[in-house]
Amino acid sequence: MASTFSRMLMGRRTAMLLASLGTGALATGYLMSDVNHAAVIDRTKLFPPSSDYPDLRKHNNCMASHLTPAIYCRLRDKLTPSGWSLDQCIQTGVDNPGHPFIKTVGMVAGDEESYEIFSDIFDAVIKERHNGYDPRTMKHHTDLDSSKVTHGQFDERYVLSSRVRTGRSIRGLSLPPACTRAERREVERVATMALSGLKGDLAGRYYRLTEMTEQEQQRLIDDHFLFDKPVSPLLTCAGMARDWPDARGIWHNFDKTFLIWINEEDHTRVISMEKGGNMKRVFERFCRGLKEVEKLIQERGWEFMWNERLGYILTCPSNLGTGLRAGVHVRLPHLSKDPRFNKILDNLRLQKRGTGGVDTAAVGDVFDISNLDRIGRSEVELVQLVIDGVNYLIDCEKRLEKSQDIKVPPPVSQFRK
Amino acid sequence: MPFGNTHNNYKLNFSAEEEFPDLTKHNNHMAKALTLDIYKKLRDKQTPSGFTLDDCIQTGVDNPGHPFIMTVGCVAGDGESYDVFKDLFDPVIQDRHNGYKPTDKHKTDMNHENLKGGDLDGNYVLSSRVRTGRSIQGYTLPPHCSRGERRAIEKLSIEALTTLDGEFKGKYYPLKEMTDAEQDQLINDHFLFDKPVSPLLLASGMARDWPDARGIWHNDNKTFLVWVNEEDHLRVISMQLGGNMKEVFRRFCVGLQKIEDIFKKHNKSFMWNEHLGYVLTCPSNLGTGLRGGVHVKLPNLCKHAKFEEVLTRLRLQKRGTGGVDTEAKGGVYDVSNADRLGFSEVEQVQMVVDGVKLMIEMEKKLEKKEAIDDMMPAQK
């Protein structure tokens, strides 16, 4: 029975068909022996949704802020076509109450349909996390035409490195919290087969986590390319680390400027980067690489998860839309000590981090500066926003060097007009 | 996940070969026992509450184990798991419990009066302790239970425990609502349990929704302690300073009987059958689930070449005084029964009592620089 399906597995049409069949058809096709339907119904009566409603009184995450008992009761017994439930979406947020000062998201999607079937809670969480983007009324616009970007070469006396990252999910296969081992292996096959078709400056190689030699591993660590099994409870409680390191790996081009992580937090994470300040080239390679990979998977009948409500679909609601973080490592010794620094960043819709990434402190006046928003503006718009913003910061830095005054810029508009 | 598992139905779209975990680098009982044929046979099955084979083995897939320490690598989600997935659990149990066969019967004996002796030399034995676990029939186990079920288990347990009186009169401290003062006191008494950090436990799903419906109950005398909804529904501990293991075991048996009687009044019983004894989450705790042990000073014996062999022959196990996986300090060891399944509670505690008595006599001889070769016990 199952083997007939598996032979057809490489086709996207088949995966779409399977995903749309729904549990009803699956149950008639593969009736599980030992299922006691009466027992299941009895237990549901014995434990109504109200008995299962999580205790969120000490919680501070977006899920906890919006999951009312009414929403929970309405959604508890619903399932996506592959059988994923609300409880599974919110487990990470129940297990991780959060921090009084840092508001985490507190829920993940198990598949593309999670965002639809549990939209009552996801839409509210998305709206809060994305500063007012309302998936019920607004549309997200995708634009990967890097030729539109201007002034994308930074002063390299200040900008040390430039980087753009995003994620992509393969439609028809469940996301990391929910995927079966077979699905995860399928993601790896689809992605690596596409990547092996890249040519020229994008040509590269795949390093599977389970088959890496010690030397390869050390070299990838030295290049800062290697990712490790997640330790953050935010991720492990969501189930993303199951079966580690099965079907996980790293692909990068020989130039080491284009890097893909396979089956880490998302099906794929795509990173373009280089030393120095040529953000235009980084973004150009980013777009070109993404379009090439998309073309290569489409040739085999696959596509990325995307819709006009939410843009690119990824595991964490915080990465919807573009999933894009474009940033630089930039030296700002004077500006960073100016009391107006944070306000300037806020108005430019930029975010600062330490150079170790999220939750690290800046070292030696070098900051990681990147876009705050992910959705509601296209990739081109966000990268232009980063370029304009970083140029402004460098300008401020230069002025302060010469003891000239700086101005706080007017706030940049959040969503496209 | 509770109440049916249609997600498993979805997995059946993929072949067994495609879903079979990569266990080539694994060293645990599950990885040794699980073949592709067993996987094929069991993967489309589920227990009445919806627990599946993949649910059982997830912890063993995620934790390949250690080259020298053999972990179990699978858990039960409910009592029925041991039956529906017996093709996996039987060989795991046989391997873990010294050849215990699927046809063997386990004897339960909780009559403390059957224990002979048991008042050990307090110059050597610093403390005595007996622990076990109990599962409540009709509820799924910690890897699988829903929040509603876990809360129901807590409610039942509180109702039962708060009716205890006499030497068992005590109080329940829910983890969620503990005051700082209560928490400090429980830590000082070494009673407080924390959210599991071991990946072996986390990967099985036991720590979900922490600290909802978890708590600690202990009697006013601080000699009888119950953990609610930690690794099992109930973990029951009787203990005191000194070497009077007989008294510790008496209180253990009497207390458990009282608790069981109260549950019966509410038409609830403990999970038990004549093949596996008391049914608990981890296969390693089947049978009696009992670990009876002492903290004992053996500074000379522990340096003797035959120390390990003495323990093996006596069917005893040593640990550091911090518990499993800790080192001994100052010659003080935690010595306890090695078996759980195939011997009754009385038999296991008898082995501890007799074995520790012998080891103390050996220690005394070694103190006087006398030989102990003629004291070597036969293999029990």
Side-chain angles (χ1 to χ4, degrees):
Chain A
M1 298 185 290
S3 56
T4 326
F5 281 88
S6 68
R7 260 180 258 126
M8 298 197 291
L9 206 54
M10 284 303 284
R12 159 222 173 230
R13 266 186 65 239
T14 308
M16 293 286 295
L17 182 68
L18 294 177
S20 65
L21 272 180
T23 51
L26 290 173
T28 37
Y30 300 91
L31 195 63
M32 294 180 116
S33 48
D34 301 359
V35 166
N36 186 344
H37 290 290
V40 171
I41 292 163
D42 280 342
R43 295 187 77 88
T44 311
K45 284 208 188 109
L46 209 56
F47 294 101
S50 53
S51 71
D52 274 337
Y53 181 70
D55 182 352
L56 301 171
R57 290 172 295 173
K58 294 201 181 115
H59 285 60
N60 184 46
N61 56 52
C62 297
M63 178 279 292
S65 296
H66 297 282
L67 186 71
T68 62
I71 294 178
Y72 183 77
C73 289
R74 209 159 50 233
L75 297 180
R76 186 196 74 163
D77 294 329
K78 289 197 158 48
L79 294 171
T80 68
S82 70
W84 193 248
S85 70
L86 176 69
D87 276 329
Q88 288 165 310
C89 288
I90 67 172
Q91 190 67 61
T92 179
V94 176
D95 288 347
N96 297 289
H99 191 274
F101 306 139
I102 300 166
K103 198 155 187 187
T104 45
V105 177
M107 67 188 304
V108 292
D111 49 24
E112 188 169 2
E113 294 82 0
S114 297
Y115 285 109
E116 307 309 315
I117 295 188
F118 309 119
S119 62
D120 282 351
I121 178 65
F122 270 112
D123 286 351
V125 164
I126 289 165
K127 193 165 175 201
E128 182 185 337
R129 177 58 179 217
H130 293 284
N131 303 306
Y133 180 82
D134 189 347
R136 296 194 173 170
T137 57
M138 294 161 84
K139 291 210 194 334
H140 174 79
H141 177 63
T142 292
D143 186 355
L144 285 162
D145 182 357
S146 58
S147 67
K148 292 179 182 161
V149 152
T150 62
H151 302 93
Q153 171 68 62
F154 298 120
D155 186 334
E156 292 184 349
R157 289 173 296 174
Y158 298 90
V159 172
L160 307 178
S161 62
S162 309
R163 181 183 187 268
V164 181
R165 71 86 161 150
T166 188
R168 290 289 185 264
S169 309
I170 314 237
R171 177 162 279 161
L173 296 167
S174 305
L175 297 170
C179 66
T180 73
R181 279 181 291 272
E183 284 186 302
R184 203 184 293 110
R185 291 162 181 170
E186 186 67 3
V187 167
E188 188 190 36
R189 263 197 295 273
V190 171
T192 53
M193 203 169 290
L195 293 165
S196 67
L198 291 175
K199 298 185 173 43
D201 68 320
L202 293 176
R205 217 204 104 161
Y206 182 60
Y207 300 86
R208 180 177 280 145
L209 248 57
T210 50
E211 290 164 5
M212 221 174 266
T213 67
E214 293 245 348
Q215 282 127 305
E216 283 168 347
Q217 186 173 302
Q218 193 53 55
R219 207 258 307 151
L220 287 165
I221 291 172
D222 294 338
D223 286 331
H224 304 289
F225 284 177
L226 188 64
F227 65 88
D228 216 346
K229 180 171 180 176
V231 291
S232 163
L234 300 174
L235 302 179
T236 53
C237 290
M240 297 183 206
R242 287 168 304 124
D243 314 312
W244 201 276
D246 197 317
R248 272 84 167 190
I250 289 157
W251 182 98
H252 70 79
N253 66 350
F254 297 119
D255 290 346
K256 297 188 188 177
T257 54
F258 194 62
L259 166 69
I260 318 271
W261 287 353
I262 304 218
N263 285 319
E264 194 238 6
E265 278 183 56
D266 280 293
H267 284 176
T268 65
R269 282 284 178 97
V270 179
I271 303 152
S272 169
M273 62 206 176
E274 54 185 74
K275 292 245 185 287
N278 198 338
M279 180 60 95
K280 172 126 179 136
R281 188 165 62 201
V282 168
F283 187 54
E284 184 276 325
R285 186 171 49 242
F286 176 82
C287 294
R288 187 163 45 89
L290 275 170
K291 290 201 196 119
E292 265 302 301
V293 171
E294 185 163 22
K295 197 166 72 122
L296 289 162
I297 66 169
Q298 279 169 342
E299 279 167 13
R300 286 182 175 79
W302 297 94
E303 59 188 23
F304 291 140
M305 287 185 200
W306 182 95
N307 66 50
E308 63 175 6
R309 213 168 66 89
L310 301 175
Y312 286 102
I313 306 292
L314 294 173
T315 304
C316 181
S318 69
N319 283 320
L320 291 167
T322 61
L324 184 141
R325 192 171 94 85
V328 297
H329 284 186
V330 58
R331 289 190 323 108
L332 298 169
H334 291 90
L335 181 58
S336 59
K337 293 189 192 62
D338 191 292
R340 292 165 286 186
F341 184 39
N342 284 331
K343 182 75 180 143
I344 293 172
L345 288 172
D346 282 349
N347 283 6
L348 293 173
R349 302 201 71 78
L350 296 176
Q351 178 188 68
K352 74 177 196 288
R353 301 179 182 192
T355 50
V358 65
D359 298 332
T360 64
V363 172
D365 302 323
V366 180
F367 286 83
D368 178 315
I369 303 285
S370 65
N371 52 297
L372 190 60
D373 303 303
R374 302 272 180 272
I375 198 171
R377 278 190 172 277
S378 72
E379 290 80 353
V380 163
E381 286 166 349
L382 288 175
V383 172
Q384 191 64 60
L385 187 144
V386 172
I387 288 171
D388 295 343
V390 170
N391 278 331
Y392 191 91
L393 295 175
I394 293 171
D395 193 65
C396 289
E397 181 66 26
K398 286 175 174 168
R399 283 175 187 272
L400 290 172
E401 278 170 19
K402 293 184 268 193
S403 301
Q404 289 169 356
D405 196 23
I406 59 171
K407 272 213 220 8
V408 174
V412 168
S413 70
Q414 182 185 352
F415 302 126
R416 68 196 318 261
K417 298 169 189 66
Chain B
M1 292 297 124
F3 314 138
N5 195 336
T6 47
H7 190 61
N8 202 67
N9 280 336
Y10 176 70
K11 270 186 220 174
L12 297 179
N13 293 311
F14 305 96
S15 73
E17 286 82 357
E18 284 165 333
E19 283 293 345
F20 192 69
D22 180 357
L23 301 172
T24 47
K25 296 199 179 115
H26 285 58
N27 185 48
N28 57 52
H29 288 297
M30 179 278 292
K32 271 178 75 179
L34 184 69
T35 63
L36 183 59
D37 282 338
I38 294 178
Y39 191 77
K40 277 183 178 155
K41 186 177 174 198
L42 297 179
R43 67 186 293 243
D44 65 342
K45 305 220 170 353
Q46 62 181 23
T47 65
S49 76
F51 207 62
T52 65
L53 179 67
D54 276 332
D55 291 333
C56 289
I57 67 172
Q58 189 67 58
T59 178
V61 175
D62 288 349
N63 296 290
H66 192 274
F68 307 138
I69 300 167
M70 193 72 158
T71 46
V72 178
C74 55
V75 292
D78 48 24
E80 293 83 354
S81 300
Y82 289 108
D83 194 52
V84 173
F85 307 114
K86 66 193 304 353
D87 287 327
L88 171 68
F89 279 110
D90 281 350
V92 166
I93 288 166
Q94 192 151 354
D95 204 12
R96 179 63 174 211
H97 294 282
N98 303 307
Y100 192 78
K101 297 190 290 297
T103 47
D104 284 339
K105 300 255 184 292
H106 171 80
K107 197 168 61 162
T108 293
D109 181 1
M110 288 282 291
N111 186 349
H112 63 93
E113 283 169 11
N114 289 338
L115 182 71
K116 299 184 188 44
D119 196 352
L120 300 165
D121 189 338
N123 293 312
Y124 294 85
V125 177
L126 306 177
S127 62
S128 308
R129 181 184 187 265
V130 180
R131 70 89 159 150
T132 188
R134 291 290 185 265
S135 309
I136 306 174
Q137 184 69 43
Y139 295 94
T140 60
L141 297 171
H144 190 38
C145 65
S146 69
R147 282 180 290 272
E149 274 192 298
R150 204 186 292 112
R151 291 162 180 169
I153 292 160
E154 187 194 31
K155 188 153 176 278
L156 270 169
S157 303
I158 294 173
E159 276 168 19
L161 294 166
T162 47
T163 61
L164 294 174
D165 60 1
E167 61 174 321
F168 295 106
K169 186 165 156 316
K171 194 182 151 183
Y172 183 70
Y173 301 87
L175 250 56
K176 253 199 303 194
E177 282 148 40
M178 220 171 265
T179 66
D180 281 344
E182 284 169 343
Q183 187 172 299
D184 285 340
Q185 185 58 55
L186 287 166
I187 291 172
N188 288 335
D189 289 328
H190 304 289
F191 284 178
L192 189 64
F193 65 87
D194 215 348
K195 181 171 179 176
V197 291
S198 164
L200 300 173
L201 302 179
L202 296 174
S204 73
M206 293 183 208
R208 286 171 303 122
D209 316 311
W210 203 276
D212 198 320
R214 273 85 167 188
I216 291 160
W217 180 95
H218 70 77
N219 65 352
D220 296 337
N221 297 338
K222 296 187 182 178
T223 54
F224 194 72
L225 167 68
V226 179
W227 288 352
V228 179
N229 286 320
E230 194 237 8
E231 278 183 54
D232 282 291
H233 288 170
L234 302 169
R235 281 286 178 99
V236 179
I237 303 152
S238 168
M239 61 202 183
Q240 63 191 56
L241 294 173
N244 197 343
M245 180 60 98
K246 187 163 181 70
E247 171 61 12
V248 168
F249 189 54
R250 181 205 64 81
R251 190 169 47 243
F252 176 82
C253 295
V254 172
L256 266 171
Q257 188 61 58
K258 284 189 190 287
I259 295 172
E260 186 165 16
D261 289 342
I262 298 167
F263 271 103
K264 285 216 173 93
K265 284 212 194 86
H266 289 90
N267 289 320
K268 298 275 180 249
S269 55
F270 292 145
M271 280 187 208
W272 180 93
N273 65 58
E274 60 173 9
H275 168 52
L276 296 177
Y278 286 102
V279 176
L280 294 173
T281 304
C282 182
S284 68
N285 283 320
L286 292 166
T288 61
L290 186 145
R291 192 172 94 83
V294 297
H295 284 187
V296 57
K297 285 192 285 200
L298 300 168
N300 292 293
L301 183 58
C302 72
K303 294 196 195 78
H304 195 281
K306 292 242 164 58
F307 182 42
E308 298 280 350
E309 195 179 336
V310 168
L311 288 167
T312 306
R313 289 191 186 187
L314 294 172
R315 304 192 76 86
L316 298 177
Q317 174 189 79
K318 76 180 195 301
R319 301 179 182 189
T321 50
V324 65
D325 298 331
T326 64
E327 291 303 310
K329 281 202 194 112
V332 180
Y333 282 82
D334 176 317
V335 175
S336 64
N337 54 297
D339 304 297
R340 304 276 182 272
L341 186 59
F343 295 94
S344 74
E345 289 81 354
V346 167
E347 285 170 338
Q348 287 169 356
V349 177
Q350 192 68 65
M351 281 191 259
V352 174
V353 154
D354 294 346
V356 171
K357 187 154 173 268
L358 176 64
M359 287 164 68
I360 291 172
E361 279 161 32
M362 287 177 161
E363 177 69 23
K364 285 175 175 167
K365 284 254 174 172
L366 290 172
E367 278 171 18
K368 294 186 277 189
K369 306 269 193 279
E370 288 170 27
I372 56 166
D373 303 303
D374 58 342
M375 295 172 78
M376 286 298 288
Q379 176 67 55
K380 282 193 178 289

